[in-house]
Amino acid sequence: MKAAVLFEAKRPLEIAEVVVDKPGPREVLIRTAAVGVCRSDLHFVDGSFPHPMPTVPGHEAAGVVEAVGEGVSSVKPGDHVITFFTVFCGSCEMCITGRPSLCVDPSTRRAKDAPPRLKLKNGQALAPFLNLSAFAEMMLVHENACVAISKDMPLDRAALLGCAVITGAGSVFNDSKVKPGESVAVIGAGGIGLSAINAAKIAGAGQIIAIDPVPEKRALAEKMGATHTLDANVAGLMKSVLALSDGGVHYAIEAVGRSNTAELAWNILRRGGTATILGMIAPGNEVKIAGPTFLTGKKLQGSLLGSTQFPIDMPRLVQMYLDGKLDLDTMVAERIALEDINDALAKLRTGDTARSIIMFQ
């Protein structure tokens, strides 16, 4: 099959022929239909986060089940599925306490002495990327890295649910538990931020403030449900938010991944408010908070994939889209071929686009 391979950080991906193994016990072979090009991929491609090489990036995908291995009971050939990179075991402390996105149990990975799931034609093993390696015509994953969905759902829109949407929407529905009438500020109007804005609208937030330096993204934020938009580069930004929100928002959601934006999320909260950090802040960076501000009862929390309970939340999000409540269409900037992957990554570096979707079928 064809796949986009990363041989070295800070180098373009190369389209190469890759050999995919047969599904082993509890594994699922998926024919990829669509995969989103996410900023998280870019962090690894550009070397901000380390990763074994060579590898096939990509982690926001949807497709159709081709075959299943021994013991698979959750999906069958022909099922339409969404994948997610935080594969869960189902039996560890994190899983049984309702936090499957935090599972790191090694039982979901192949044994070290087992053949690799992916390899180059010369036999060189490819390191698995976030349990998925989705920039490829097929994915071989653990059964708890995918969930079956309605076949009425367009697979290019379904792919977005695999990262951006469950992260952004989950930060509202699961992490923040926004109530009708409360105020929400979202810092960053990329795929994750737009999803958070849309979810805040669905939750009935009374005020939704979108903060982003790009005018086109602020316009998208308004279309997704923002009641106010602010330029992130304007002087006095914090004071503007505090004035708009009568002293601070109930919830601030950071979807950029920088120290200064995480600090902004904290500083624009009202007393007792909660800031949720979704962005990938690179190793070596720190978030600084003035000590006395803890006395205001505010909370700072991290989140991975919106604390989603995948088998439950993802089909519900699919139904929200089918019911016309969840807006995924606005997030799609372009549909491209696998060979256009490096151009899509370049657009992410400029920060001027929403989601590029690689289409396979």
Side-chain angles (χ1 to χ4, degrees):
M1 68 173 183
K2 286 195 304 183
V5 181
L6 178 65
F7 287 94
E8 185 179 334
K10 301 182 181 179
R11 276 181 48 188
L13 276 65
E14 298 181 26
I15 306 302
E17 286 293 324
V18 169
V19 178
V20 59
D21 200 17
K22 295 179 180 179
R26 300 200 69 188
E27 290 183 339
V28 180
L29 182 64
I30 301 166
R31 183 168 296 279
T32 312
V35 55
V37 184
C38 176
R39 184 168 293 277
S40 298
D41 296 309
L42 189 64
H43 290 316
F44 293 99
V45 172
D46 287 351
S48 299
F49 282 75
H51 196 281
M53 307 284 175
T55 188
V56 176
H59 66 282
E60 185 180 77
V64 180
V65 175
E66 276 288 296
V68 300
E70 180 185 354
V72 172
S73 59
S74 59
V75 297
K76 62 184 183 302
D79 280 351
H80 289 196
V81 295
I82 303 171
T83 60
F84 42 90
F85 66 86
T86 52
V87 56
F88 63 94
C89 71
S91 58
C92 71
E93 177 189 353
M94 295 301 165
C95 288
I96 63 175
T97 55
R99 297 174 289 174
S101 64
L102 299 181
C103 175
V104 291
D105 192 286
S107 66
T108 59
R109 298 188 288 271
R110 279 193 166 183
K112 290 184 179 180
D113 58 352
R117 287 176 177 166
L118 299 178
K119 61 184 178 182
L120 297 172
K121 289 186 73 175
N122 64 9
Q124 183 180 8
L126 289 165
F129 182 84
L130 300 182
N131 302 301
L132 297 178
S133 291
F135 290 160
E137 292 177 321
M138 304 194 82
M139 296 176 284
L140 181 57
V141 307
H142 189 277
E143 69 168 319
N144 285 348
C146 64
V147 60
I149 59 169
S150 168
K151 292 183 179 179
D152 293 333
M153 181 70 179
L155 288 172
D156 58 341
R157 264 57 59 86
L160 298 174
L161 296 174
C163 179
V165 177
I166 56 173
T167 300
S171 72
V172 171
F173 297 141
N174 302 325
D175 297 318
S176 301
K177 296 181 173 61
V178 174
K179 298 182 180 64
E182 292 183 320
S183 55
V184 179
V186 178
I187 304 168
I192 292 173
L194 291 174
S195 299
I197 290 164
N198 193 198
K201 177 184 177 182
I202 294 171
Q207 184 180 56
I208 306 169
I209 303 170
I211 301 169
D212 197 282
V214 181
E216 291 80 6
K217 287 189 175 181
R218 295 198 297 273
L220 284 176
E222 290 180 352
K223 191 173 180 181
M224 297 288 278
T227 59
H228 302 79
T229 60
L230 295 172
D231 185 342
N233 291 330
V234 171
L237 175 61
M238 184 180 75
K239 290 183 179 179
S240 296
V241 177
L242 296 178
L244 265 178
S245 57
D246 193 26
V249 295
H250 292 91
Y251 301 99
I253 295 168
E254 194 274 352
V256 179
R258 296 176 184 165
S259 299
N260 64 322
T261 48
E263 291 162 5
L264 175 65
W266 176 265
N267 290 328
I268 60 178
L269 292 174
R270 65 179 57 201
R271 294 171 70 87
T274 299
T276 302
I277 310 303
L278 303 177
M280 294 174 64
I281 301 175
N285 291 275
E286 298 178 346
V287 176
K288 296 182 180 179
I289 296 174
T293 59
F294 284 106
L295 297 175
T296 61
K298 297 194 291 188
K299 301 178 183 66
L300 179 67
Q301 63 182 0
S303 175
L304 182 61
L305 284 186
S307 302
T308 301
Q309 295 180 326
F310 308 101
I312 298 171
D313 292 347
M314 296 182 90
R316 288 178 179 175
L317 289 170
V318 165
Q319 194 59 48
M320 286 184 191
Y321 173 80
L322 295 175
D323 290 343
K325 297 175 182 178
L326 185 67
D327 183 0
L328 302 177
D329 301 342
T330 298
M331 293 174 58
V332 180
E334 60 179 356
R335 294 171 177 84
I336 62 174
L338 181 63
E339 288 76 9
D340 300 319
I341 179 62
N342 290 309
D343 289 337
L345 291 170
K347 290 176 182 177
L348 273 181
R349 292 184 183 97
T350 67
D352 294 338
T353 188
R355 263 304 187 271
S356 298
I357 305 291
I358 297 171
M359 302 296 299
F360 290 93
Q361 50 178 269

